[in-house]
Amino acid sequence: MGTTSYDFSNEVVVVTGGSSGIGRAIALRFGESGATVVNADIDEETKDPGGELPTHRAIEERDGDAEFVRTDVSDPDDLVAVIEAARDFGGVDVMVNNAGIYIDRPFREVTPEEFDKIHTVNVRGVYFGSQLAANDMIERGEPGSIINTASISSNVAQPGQVHYDSTKGAVQMITRGAALELAEHGIRVNAVAPGVIATEIMEGWSKGATDAIKNEELVKRPPIGRAGVPEDIAGPAVFLASDDADYITGTLLDVDGGWQIF
Ligand code: NAD
């Protein structure tokens, strides 16, 4: 039992959407593992309840190295600037394309603007985040690893989520396709696929997620019997980037409390 310690000293990890929720937990865990962390988010402040310090400050408090670069992942120019910022520390070794948004809307009501918005963040952000990081790694001759945040929605349809599911299905195929093309360069590409995780992605969700599961208000309970927390995703993400996962590429690692078993 116990958690695994990884050593990412001298490695530079970019985490998109690292200010809150799953991305913040991943960023903090990489920081604890000795990595220099670049948090690329549209907001510097965290939305997490009780999360007092912005992510980069929290890492520095714990004697780590970190920087915040204000970034909208839907704009490839912003992503270029993030990769350049990572070069100041030696260049990106691990690119975590995590930023994502959610809109709750039935299939028949989604507007073209809402469709475009969610796809530019959730799909374009992951696509060009992966492409730009890979090109930089290849140019520097230092292959690393790419981790994307997919979802149970990469595999399973849920009511009111067609537009979101389609973005996460795309993340699954970007992960597999990029893994295929980048393997010859020594770059591995994998994804974590979280289940129901208590974060602020749906406004106020974290406050009620665990209670909702206890009270069986959710359509489906994960067999493990609780909502996940962001920290549940951090270890698996760091593992996929580690040398222990050297022979793993193109994989979606389900981290969902067994949600997809039945
Ligand atoms: P969150 O809202 O707590 O955090 C998302 C972070 O992304 C925030 O810091 C936000 O500022 C940032 N962000 C949003 N748009 C951005 C943009 N255009 N550019 C840069 N940063 C941006 O949400 P979360 O639940 O931690 O979600 C993180 C990822 O996990 C998303 O890709 C989401 O789809 C995925 N996911 C979440 C769950 C869940 O149940 N919470 C389940 C499966 C997958």
Side-chain angles (χ1 to χ4, degrees):
M1 303 295 265
T3 51
T4 309
S5 298
Y6 293 100
D7 183 7
F8 280 85
S9 330
N10 304 318
E11 302 216 26
V12 178
V13 179
V14 173
V15 181
T16 71
S19 293
S20 299
I22 292 168
R24 178 176 167 92
I26 292 173
L28 293 176
R29 189 71 189 272
F30 272 113
E32 281 164 18
S33 307
T36 297
V37 177
V38 179
N39 172 24
D41 200 298
I42 35 170
D43 290 327
E44 183 169 355
E45 298 300 319
T46 185
K47 292 185 289 180
D48 290 3
E52 309 83 23
L53 288 172
T55 301
H56 64 295
R57 295 265 173 260
I59 292 171
E60 285 167 351
E61 273 291 282
R62 299 170 200 181
D63 293 329
D65 294 317
E67 186 172 276
F68 171 74
V69 179
R70 193 171 306 280
T71 310
D72 180 346
V73 295
S74 61
D75 182 348
D77 288 343
D78 276 15
L79 288 166
V80 168
V82 172
I83 300 294
E84 274 169 15
R87 274 205 179 204
D88 292 344
F89 299 104
V92 58
D93 296 298
V94 179
M95 180 75 192
V96 183
N97 296 298
N98 162 80
I101 55 172
Y102 177 81
I103 305 165
D104 192 18
R105 196 82 76 242
F107 175 65
R108 294 174 57 208
E109 294 172 17
V110 171
T111 65
E113 292 73 25
E114 287 168 335
F115 180 91
D116 286 349
K117 169 80 181 159
I118 197 164
H119 281 78
T120 54
V121 177
N122 294 12
V123 181
R124 195 153 77 149
V126 172
Y127 191 100
F128 288 102
S130 302
Q131 184 204 64
L132 291 163
N135 284 342
D136 189 68
M137 290 172 188
I138 293 165
E139 203 175 297
R140 288 184 292 116
E142 289 183 33
S145 172
I146 296 169
I147 310 293
N148 299 323
T149 303
S151 171
I152 44 177
S153 302
S154 299
N155 290 314
V156 180
Q158 294 172 84
Q161 298 193 15
V162 180
H163 51 294
Y164 179 78
D165 295 345
S166 93
T167 70
K168 293 300 180 179
V171 171
Q172 166 156 222
M173 289 314 296
I174 292 168
T175 302
R176 290 190 177 150
L180 183 65
E181 289 197 27
L182 296 174
E184 66 174 292
H185 299 286
I187 298 171
R188 297 184 299 105
V189 187
N190 290 292
V192 283
V196 178
I197 309 297
T199 71
E200 294 291 317
I201 197 164
M202 291 166 261
E203 204 181 334
W205 171 240
S206 64
K207 297 169 196 78
T210 303
D211 282 350
I213 284 181
K214 276 192 200 139
N215 299 331
E216 305 203 9
E217 286 163 15
L218 291 175
V219 180
K220 191 167 142 183
R221 282 167 65 103
I224 280 184
R226 64 170 175 86
V229 292
E231 292 71 25
D232 288 321
I233 312 302
V238 174
F239 159 70
L240 285 173
S242 76
D243 290 344
D244 281 351
D246 230 17
Y247 201 55
I248 302 178
T249 198
T251 288
L252 248 73
L253 179 54
D254 296 326
V255 192
D256 62 2
W259 200 91
Q260 291 177 79
I261 294 171
F262 68 106

